[in-house]
Amino acid sequence: AASSCQDCPKGRYSAEIQTATCEPCGDGHYCPSDGMSAQLPCRNGTYSQTNVNGIKKCTQCEVGKYADEEKLNGCLSCNSGNFCNEP
């Protein structure tokens, strides 16, 4: 009996055709739905964080920290003498 293709589950993606596995989304990225063919970058002001289900999601930086680039897996702290009230 022939098997059918299955969507990659949320949190994983497959950029390849004719593959037998799905890759987990990498640091600084997220895969919000089933069937993703590419991972999406976390935007400026957010970072990737793994939730209790082992799925990465983008989370907004807390006050006093920032992310001035996409694809970060953590926020940067403001230096002394500086402040940031927006991520």
Side-chain angles (χ1 to χ4, degrees):
S3 61
S4 62
C5 295
Q6 304 293 315
D7 284 343
C8 291
K10 185 187 300 187
R12 300 178 79 79
Y13 75 103
S14 176
E16 305 290 324
I17 58 171
Q18 297 178 335
T19 186
T21 60
C22 298
E23 299 294 323
C25 284
D27 288 345
H29 295 82
Y30 70 113
C31 299
S33 58
D34 294 342
M36 300 285 299
S37 60
Q39 53 186 350
L40 302 174
C42 289
R43 301 281 181 218
N44 290 11
T46 67
Y47 67 100
S48 68
Q49 181 178 44
T50 305
N51 69 16
V52 294
N53 298 320
I55 297 172
K56 291 189 187 305
K57 64 176 188 152
C58 296
T59 303
Q60 187 167 342
C61 294
E62 59 193 62
V63 173
K65 296 191 175 194
Y66 69 99
D68 59 353
E69 300 176 27
E70 291 187 338
K71 305 180 208 171
L72 294 180
N73 62 350
C75 296
L76 306 170
S77 295
C78 292
N79 293 323
S80 60
N82 296 291
F83 76 98
C84 50
N85 56 6
E86 293 184 17

